Amino acid sequence: MVKLIAMYKTPSDIGEFEKHYFDVHMPLIEKMPGLLKTEVSKISGMPGQESKYHMMAEMYFENMDKLNESMASPEGRAAGKDLMGFAKDYVIMMFGDVKE
Amino acid sequence: MVKLIAMYKTPSDIGEFEKHYFDVHMPLIEKMPGLLKTEVSKISGMPGQESKYHMMAEMYFENMDKLNESMASPEGRAAGKDLMGFAKDYVIMMFGDVKE
């Protein structure tokens, strides 16, 4: 299994960011073909070590081919376009190859 | 559910790092009380966007109380001590409050 990981740095307006994320972006993500599950987590730092990240979203797919196909699909491109519109300055995207 | 997230930046010696992680550190993690599951992922960047992270480990607990208790336990302290010994310069630790 693989996952597409989005790490969001703390946005300037957390309320607006979260409203867009959960009301607009998440429904677009959920339309992506081949998506097995999504896990969204609010991030906080350890005691004495502040976190620069506010949120992490992990989107799971069967393998990299399915993930790439999904990102290239109309639904994937719609989600990507929306992401760049509201979170371009906050988001870091990565792939994760899940070992266990 | 909550998780303890360890993001590892790319180490100077990947082979040595992974050997220690999987042969020594993981068995210590697995002894931590209250641990529900662990997910370890190899990280790679997006096309045209290299990742500074090499690996991510997510350790799941029922709630923050259980996580804090586990980190303060002898097994948690042993895992923390080992972590500081082999990955202090590479690791960023965070808490995640899993939303869905």
Side-chain angles (χ1 to χ4, degrees):
Chain A
M1 201 157 59
V2 301
K3 56 187 178 184
L4 179 59
I5 304 162
M7 304 273 306
Y8 294 93
K9 289 174 196 161
T10 307
S12 53
D13 186 332
I14 291 178
E16 196 183 319
F17 173 87
E18 291 192 355
K19 188 168 163 45
H20 188 97
Y21 187 87
F22 290 105
D23 293 355
V24 179
H25 191 63
M26 183 69 105
L28 292 172
I29 292 290
E30 282 168 353
K31 285 183 189 148
M32 286 177 69
L35 181 72
L36 300 177
K37 63 168 178 165
T38 303
E39 187 171 292
V40 176
S41 305
K42 293 278 187 77
I43 302 298
S44 54
M46 303 280 289
Q49 192 190 329
E50 212 170 302
S51 172
K52 66 178 172 184
Y53 298 110
H54 173 66
M55 215 170 77
M56 175 166 69
E58 295 164 284
M59 290 138 281
Y60 292 78
F61 295 84
E62 195 183 331
N63 55 43
M64 276 307 296
D65 283 349
K66 300 271 188 194
L67 199 173
N68 283 323
E69 273 170 39
S70 188
M71 287 178 71
S73 71
E75 296 85 351
R77 279 182 282 125
K81 189 180 170 187
D82 179 63
L83 180 72
M84 288 302 107
F86 84 102
K88 184 164 73 75
D89 297 338
Y90 300 112
V91 72
I92 292 171
M93 303 293 294
M94 292 170 278
F95 295 124
D97 187 3
V98 181
K99 291 302 173 194
E100 54 187 289
Chain B
M1 204 159 53
V2 301
K3 56 187 178 184
L4 179 60
I5 304 163
M7 303 275 304
Y8 295 93
K9 291 175 194 161
T10 306
S12 52
D13 185 333
I14 291 177
E16 196 183 320
F17 173 87
E18 290 190 355
K19 186 167 165 42
H20 188 96
Y21 188 86
F22 290 105
D23 292 355
V24 180
H25 191 63
M26 185 70 104
L28 292 171
I29 292 290
E30 283 167 353
K31 284 183 191 148
M32 287 177 68
L35 181 71
L36 299 176
K37 62 167 178 166
T38 303
E39 186 171 291
V40 176
S41 304
K42 292 277 188 79
I43 301 298
S44 54
M46 303 280 289
Q49 191 191 327
E50 211 169 304
S51 172
K52 67 177 170 181
Y53 298 110
H54 172 68
M55 215 170 78
M56 175 165 69
E58 295 163 285
M59 290 138 281
Y60 292 77
F61 296 84
E62 194 183 331
N63 55 43
M64 276 308 294
D65 283 347
K66 299 272 189 193
L67 200 173
N68 283 323
E69 273 170 38
S70 188
M71 288 178 71
S73 71
E75 296 87 352
R77 279 182 282 126
K81 189 181 170 187
D82 179 64
L83 180 72
M84 288 302 107
F86 85 103
K88 185 165 72 78
D89 297 339
Y90 300 113
V91 72
I92 294 171
M93 303 294 294
M94 291 170 278
F95 296 124
D97 186 5
V98 180
K99 290 303 174 192
E100 58 183 289

